[in-house]
Every structure is written in structure tokens, then in C-alpha cells.
Amino acid sequence: DVQGTDGVYGVQSKDVTFHIGREQISTVDLSSKEMVVRRDGATMATYPVSGGDSDHTTWSGIMVISERFKQTRMESSTVGLGDEYDISDVPHAQRLTTSGTFVHGNYWASTAVFGHQNTSHGCVGLHDAKGANDTSVDGYKFYESSMLGDVVIVKNSGEKTVAASNGLNGWNLSWSDWKAGSAL
């Protein structure tokens, strides 16, 4: 008997059972160049990372993994950077924003970069291996531990907070701003 619209009422009563998955929150600190992965409150892993360089800073804020690719092509022209890069086989890519920010594996940078330098065009990079099949590298391990909907927090990036409209990033709105944008 819940009214959906004028003169239209709900006529079904139904019990639904569902389970809430585990909680995984990964915090990337681009000052220390480290990502700490916590699951259900316990630290599961700490990885050295590389974020955006001073010309291509990484968004700050709370983001959500919205797509996952074992391997994907990344072209700079798709994010407004001309022909700076075209990598056909980026391993373990997990999308954080619609504008093109990912956490992904990186096999083309020296291992010395991770944990020491921010060298990317705005993504968060983890050491990885070409082919996306080496189970010993951090990119593989993080990808295997993650799933759609996992939260990734980026701090100390030198960039402003990602807009709520740039992916599943409404977490960055205050409660009053969230309510102001509500259909209610």
C-alpha cells in the first residue's frame, strides 16, 4: 500500500535476503608513496606506489573502484594529453574516476620508482610484470585482493579533491551538500 505515483500503489510484499561483503579500504599517501590496504579493520598489505608527477597530479579524495581489467590499453589522447603515451597492455587496471584515474600495474618503470618517486600522468601505479600473470608482483596481488565497490582514498597528492560527479565519488560531499542534491 505504498503510493508510487498518483493513484498507483504497491501491491507486492516480498522478503529479500542479501549479504554484505567484506570491507576493504586502501589508503594511498602520495607524500610517503605508500598504499595501505585494510580489510575489515586489519592491515592486509602495504605497497610502495608511484602517483602523478607535479605536472599531472593525482586526484585526492575518496574514490570507488568502478571497473576492473586484467589488461587494458591506455592512450593519453583519451584524457586530453595528446600523444604522450599509448600502452596496449597495462596490467591490473582498476578505474577510480570517469576522467581516467586508475590504480594499475606498471612494468615499464624501474622498480626503484615505486615508493620513491611520483612519475605517472595521474594514476596510482604499482610494480607489475608484462603479461599480468606474475603472481609475485604488487600489481597482481592488489588486483586479486580487490573487487568492484572497494574504496580507495588518496591523500597528499597536491591535487584538489575529486568531484562527486567524476565517478562513484559522492563520498567527498558533506552530508548537507548530499541532501541538497537529493531528489527528495
Side-chain angles (χ1 to χ4, degrees):
D1 293 333
V2 175
Q3 186 172 8
T5 188
D6 288 338
V8 177
Y9 292 84
V11 294
Q12 183 182 44
S13 176
K14 188 174 187 178
D15 291 330
V16 178
T17 302
F18 63 93
H19 300 279
I20 296 172
R22 71 351 172 225
E23 172 193 67
Q24 182 166 299
I25 300 174
S26 301
T27 302
V28 176
D29 184 336
L30 290 178
S31 177
S32 65
K33 296 156 197 74
E34 181 177 85
M35 176 168 59
V36 177
V37 180
R38 294 180 60 83
R39 184 176 296 162
D40 296 325
T43 299
M44 301 301 294
T46 301
Y47 300 113
V49 298
S50 180
D53 66 22
S54 59
D55 293 330
H56 308 94
T57 51
T58 305
W59 289 110
S60 284
I62 304 167
M63 294 169 257
V64 175
I65 295 174
S66 59
E67 278 186 296
R68 293 169 29 92
F69 305 96
K70 183 176 179 184
Q71 283 192 135
T72 193
R73 182 177 191 165
M74 291 190 175
E75 296 177 80
S76 55
S77 63
T78 64
V79 292
L81 294 175
D83 61 358
E84 290 192 34
Y85 60 87
D86 183 357
I87 305 167
S88 63
D89 58 351
V90 176
H92 304 116
Q94 301 182 86
R95 181 182 292 277
L96 301 178
T97 69
T98 52
S99 66
T101 306
F102 284 77
V103 174
H104 64 76
N106 178 327
Y107 63 81
W108 52 92
S110 163
T111 56
V113 165
F114 304 99
H116 301 284
Q117 293 178 280
N118 290 324
T119 61
S120 81
H121 288 85
C123 290
V124 174
L126 295 148
H127 173 63
D128 212 321
K130 189 174 178 94
N133 292 314
D134 184 342
T135 62
S136 71
V137 292
D138 294 344
Y140 183 97
K141 291 174 187 176
F142 180 66
Y143 184 84
E144 287 299 309
S145 78
S146 301
M147 62 189 239
L148 292 174
D150 281 351
V151 173
V152 176
I153 301 168
V154 176
K155 61 184 188 175
N156 298 319
S157 73
E159 181 57 271
K160 61 185 176 185
T161 300
V162 65
S165 59
N166 189 2
L168 303 173
N169 301 317
W171 301 97
N172 295 294
L173 292 174
S174 67
W175 180 242
S176 60
D177 288 343
W178 177 262
K179 288 193 311 185
S182 170
L184 300 176

